[in-house]
Each structure stands twice: as C-alpha cells, then as structure tokens.
Amino acid sequence: MTDLTLKRRHVLMGLGALGALTTLGLPDAALAQTPIAGGTLRISHSTRIATLNVLSLSGPAEYPCIDMIYSGLTRMGLDSQAHPDLATHWEASDDATEFTFHLREGVKFHDGTPFTADDVVATYTAILNPDVPAAARSVLTMVDKIEALDPLTVKFTLKTPFADLPTSTAHANARIISKAALAAPLTELDTKANGTGPFKLDVYDSARMVRLVKNPDYYQPGKPYLDAVEMMLFPDLAAESANFLSGATDVMLTVQQAEFARIAAAAGIEAQRVASGRYVCVVMRQDTKPWDDVRVRKALALATDRELLVEVILEGLGRPAYDSIVPPELGFATEKPVIAYDPEAAKALLAEAGYPDGITATLVASDRPGIRVQTAIALKQSAAAGGFDLTIETMPHDTYLANVWMKNAFYIGYWGMQPTIDATYRLLLTSDASYQDTEWKNAEFDALIDEGRATIDPAKRAEIYAKAQAMELEDVPYIVPFFEDVLTASSDKAESWGVAPISRYFYVEDVWLDKA
C-alpha cells in the first residue's frame, strides 16, 4: 500500500464508488447470487462482551459488535488493505504530511443526527487525548492537527511524513463517535452506542447476548440484508459447538483447533481457515528477575519446541514463529531465522546466567481463549528438559484482566494481527506502546520505529525496519512460539460470512440468510 501510493505521486485516492464497497467482503460465488433480505443471524462466541467502548475495547467478541455499529473514515477489507468508509476519497501532499479526507454526504448517526466533519475532529481529538484510554492513539501519534475545512472535508496535518495514514485511520478502535456522545461522560460508551454503521444496538447484556438491529438509514442502499444479529455468549465450548451443529446458531465466531476437523466435516457447514498473524506470546517482565537477563529469555526460547506446539495445540492449523511479533505477511517483514528446540543449549545458557540448577517459576494463563492454557501446559512440558520447572496457574479471564495483565511478571498473552509493522510495534514494544507489558524499553529501537514512520523512501524504510526486527530478535522481549490461523464456521444458509486475516473486520452488512 505504502510503496504503491508513494509511486503514484503521493496521491492517495480512495475507491470512492459505492459499487466498489459492495464487493469488499464477498467471495466471488456469493456475488453471483441474489441476496435475500430478512432474518436474524445468530453468532456464537465464548468470550464476554465486557464493553462497547469503541475507543478502548480489545475483546475478540467485542470487535464484531463495533464493526457492525460504527464506521470509520477508512476500513480494512478482507484483502488487508484500507478502503473508503465514511470518507469517499482522500489525497495527500507530495511530502505525505497533509491528508485531506472527503466525507460521505447524507450519513446519519443511529439517533438521526447528521454526521459531519465536526464529529471526525471530536473523535480524533479524543483518541489523541492522553487522558483518554484509546487503543488507536499509538498509530496516530504523528497527527499534529485535525481541522474541519467544511462540513464534509477534514484535513490532517502531521508532525512527520507518514504515507500509511489511511491505514491508521482504519484502526478498529478509530471508528467515528458523535461529538455529542464525546461531550457526555465517556463511561456511557461502555453500554451505549450511537454509530453510523449498518446495525444499531438493541440489547446489551454482557452475560448473555448483545442484539443489534438493522439500520435502515445505512449509507449503502439496500444493506444490511439482515433484520438483526444476535451475539450469543457460550462460556462452555462444548455447548457452543453442540448448538452450532444442531442449527441453534448460524455462525461460530471462532472454532477451536481441536474441533475444526469435526465441524468442517459436518453436513451443511462451511468452515474457513484464514492464515493470520495472530499469536500467543509469553510475557516476561524485564524489570523483574530472572527475566531481566537476556540469557534466561534466550534459554526459554531454546527450550520451546515450536514444531510440537503447532502440531499439538494448533492441530497443524498455523505455523511456527521465531520470537518476533511481526508476521511474514506484513510489508518490510524480514525472514526470521529458525530457532531449533535445543534443551541442552538452554541449560548451558541458564548456567551461564547463574542458574545451574534451573529456574522455578509460575506461568499464569487465563481460561479464554482456551489456547492460552493449552500453550502454557505444552510449554511446561517442553521447557522442563531445558531446566525450567514451571507451575501453571489458570484463572477466569476477568480475574486475569483485573489482576495479572500488564502487572504480573510471567504470563501468556494473546494478540491479533496488526495492519502494519509500525502498528505492530507501537501496540506492544515501543517505550510508549499502548500495551507495554514487558518493560523492554530501548531508546535505539524507539528511534528506529520513529524513523521508519517518517521515511518515505521504501528502500530506506526496509533497511530501518530490518534493523528494528534484528534488535527484537537479539533481545527476545517475548517468546512467540507460533502464528495461529483464524478459524471460523458458518451454516451453508448464512451466505457471505467471512473474516479478515486481521480478525476485526467482518462486513456483516453483506451477509444474508438463504432459508428458502
């Protein structure tokens, strides 16, 4: 995206055409059919929708909700590229420091009030406010000023060149909130939602179901096709599968690896496997012993049998990763050297670090999604031969979020794929990252990420990001054992269900039920 846009005289033009938007989420076969309007789509999920606050939410079942309720200036397609949403098109200055977005006419919020440039300015002002928890801030820190040129035109002025701005505005948490909603206490965003997306909030019951109903004023004429969508919580994974296979639900948002083959083989089911940069990571706080010693972290890396973990935990539905959070699909990703399982080398490194008798530690894993616990248990077995005596502590996900995440020294993390290398590192590893949970803070690394963001020349960017990735591999801030494929399934009556590799965009407005 970046290279292409820059070669095209730094002019970034959105598709703009409604016709183009109608195809973004649709498989070719679905395009050949005539959608049928009506019906309620029932989507099962196993993690609670704890909040609807689009600025800060991060739960896997929360993202489909906000993708249905809210719209952004741009939106990531199933092709992992940024496409027009509330902005019909945009252009950039030659040096990529000024972007002008042209807004769609006639769009209304769900309460009937008109959408204007003032709402865009208010939303981005909130995102950039350091006093407001906002997950998208880390990919927008280059923004210096946002101004409404007229009711349908917004100008972004940047502190440094950044050709990827339209990708940053597609961040899942950068959806447009009304100026009025932002003037109210922001805690109201947890349970109330007033977006411009294809569906409106009808019922919010985080312990049972979130129900959304059709927005008749959605900007794409004729869409959504569905009358309603029900997000149904099934904390019991076996019950979730049973209900799906019995036809009580239409879509399983996430299929567990152990269940994928059985569900894919069932009659009337369409199972999808999408290669993704989603990963589990082992968090080791580097302001805490023994994880402050890179030799200990490298020893654990050598004591991690990645091939075994992919086979046992992922059922082969993924690929080994080698301690970088940058998946190979991202622009400027380098090829990572294979880290072979070598427990004897791990023991030697531990001895060199002053632990000749090995290390005893407690590894915490929440129970959602189940892959966290599975990884912890498999890692305990794998690492034992390398001198690590791990005790696994599991707990409910809510307890983990309250007491462990971003606090504990040694636990299992779980993250989705980001659209760019800049967004990937600014989520977790720069010193000012949104979720800096390792205390690995490296000024040289920070400077490289800043330089990469501000550099226009693709060759120079590649060189800069290669240095940053080499630094990550050298210091091992995380153990990243594998990248996990996105697995989902739908009834063959639920047409056009799809999930992007960055599993935060779902295009449910394209989905329709063929129950004739």
Side-chain angles (χ1 to χ4, degrees), residues 424-436:
T424 300
Y425 279 143
R426 291 183 188 278
L427 183 74
L428 294 171
L429 283 184
T430 56
S431 297
D432 61 350
S434 299
Y435 303 107
Q436 229 291 354

Side-chain angles (χ1 to χ4, degrees), residues 247-259:
T249 58
D250 304 299
V251 169
M252 279 186 76
L253 181 63
T254 301
V255 179
Q256 302 301 309
Q257 286 83 5
E259 287 278 77

Side-chain angles (χ1 to χ4, degrees), residues 204-221:
Y204 174 64
D205 179 350
S206 68
R208 189 177 63 89
M209 180 185 72
V210 172
R211 178 180 168 83
L212 308 173
V213 296
K214 179 176 184 174
N215 171 16
D217 297 321
Y218 186 49
Y219 70 77
Q220 293 192 48

Side-chain angles (χ1 to χ4, degrees), residues 48-386:
R48 194 165 68 89
I49 299 170
T51 177
L52 294 174
N53 186 336
V54 64
L55 292 172
S56 60
L57 61 75
S58 61
E62 293 162 355
Y63 282 112
C65 288
I66 61 164
D67 194 55
M68 289 187 272
I69 295 172
Y70 291 96
S71 303
L73 288 179
T74 52
R75 188 182 186 191
M76 299 303 290
L78 300 189
D79 59 359
S80 297
Q81 300 295 316
H83 293 272
D85 197 4
L86 290 175
T88 58
H89 61 288
W90 55 88
E91 58 263 352
S93 60
D94 285 347
D95 63 357
T97 58
E98 294 182 348
F99 285 75
T100 302
F101 289 87
H102 302 274
L103 308 182
R104 200 173 294 279
E105 293 186 54
V107 175
K108 296 179 181 177
F109 285 97
H110 295 160
D111 65 358
T113 57
F115 156 72
T116 74
D118 287 341
D119 301 302
V120 178
V121 173
T123 296
Y124 279 88
T125 300
I127 289 172
L128 295 174
N129 182 348
D131 295 328
V132 175
R137 184 161 54 246
S138 64
V139 300
L140 291 161
T141 54
M142 82 298 294
V143 175
D144 184 42
K145 185 169 65 174
I146 315 146
E147 52 190 322
L149 302 184
D150 62 47
L152 292 176
T153 311
V154 177
K155 180 180 177 182
F156 286 67
T157 303
L158 311 186
K159 301 170 188 172
T160 60
F162 186 55
D164 291 340
L165 184 67
T167 301
S168 290
T169 56
H171 192 287
N173 296 89
R175 310 299 175 100
I176 302 302
I177 305 169
S178 73
K179 182 178 179 181
L182 289 166
L186 294 183
T187 52
E188 293 185 4
L189 296 176
D190 288 328
T191 56
K192 298 178 180 178
N194 181 33
T196 58
F199 293 92
K200 304 191 292 185
L201 180 63
D202 183 34
V203 175
Y204 174 64
D205 179 350
S206 68
R208 189 177 63 89
M209 180 185 72
V210 172
R211 178 180 168 83
L212 308 173
V213 296
K214 179 176 184 174
N215 171 16
D217 297 321
Y218 186 49
Y219 70 77
Q220 293 192 48
K223 293 185 180 180
Y225 301 118
L226 298 165
D227 288 335
V229 178
E230 293 177 353
M231 298 288 295
M232 304 171 68
L233 176 62
F234 286 88
D236 184 318
L237 297 176
E240 182 184 16
S241 296
N243 275 271
F244 176 62
L245 292 173
S246 73
T249 58
D250 304 299
V251 169
M252 279 186 76
L253 181 63
T254 301
V255 179
Q256 302 301 309
Q257 286 83 5
E259 287 278 77
F260 189 74
R262 181 171 76 97
I263 287 175
I269 300 298
E270 293 183 0
Q272 297 181 42
R273 173 186 177 186
V274 180
S276 172
R278 191 165 64 185
Y279 58 92
V280 163
C281 60
V282 180
V283 177
M284 305 165 288
R285 281 187 67 99
Q286 281 135 65
D287 59 352
T288 305
K289 288 187 179 301
W291 313 114
D292 60 338
D293 190 325
V294 68
R295 293 170 294 186
V296 173
R297 303 195 296 273
K298 287 187 174 181
L300 185 56
L302 290 166
T304 301
D305 189 340
R306 296 153 209 275
E307 300 287 347
L308 179 67
L309 266 60
V310 169
E311 179 183 346
V312 171
I313 297 173
L314 301 184
E315 303 276 341
L317 300 168
R319 58 229 154 116
Y322 300 106
D323 297 342
S324 172
I325 62 176
V326 177
E329 289 81 5
L330 291 185
F332 308 112
T334 57
E335 184 173 351
K336 307 301 186 299
V338 171
I339 302 174
Y341 179 54
D342 191 342
E344 292 305 317
K347 286 181 180 176
L349 263 181
L350 285 184
E352 183 182 322
Y355 302 95
D357 299 324
I359 282 177
T360 298
T362 297
L363 178 61
V364 181
S366 89
D367 63 352
R368 287 291 183 276
I371 197 170
R372 294 187 196 240
V373 174
Q374 295 165 3
T375 302
I377 293 172
L379 184 61
K380 171 183 172 66
Q381 303 299 325
S382 169

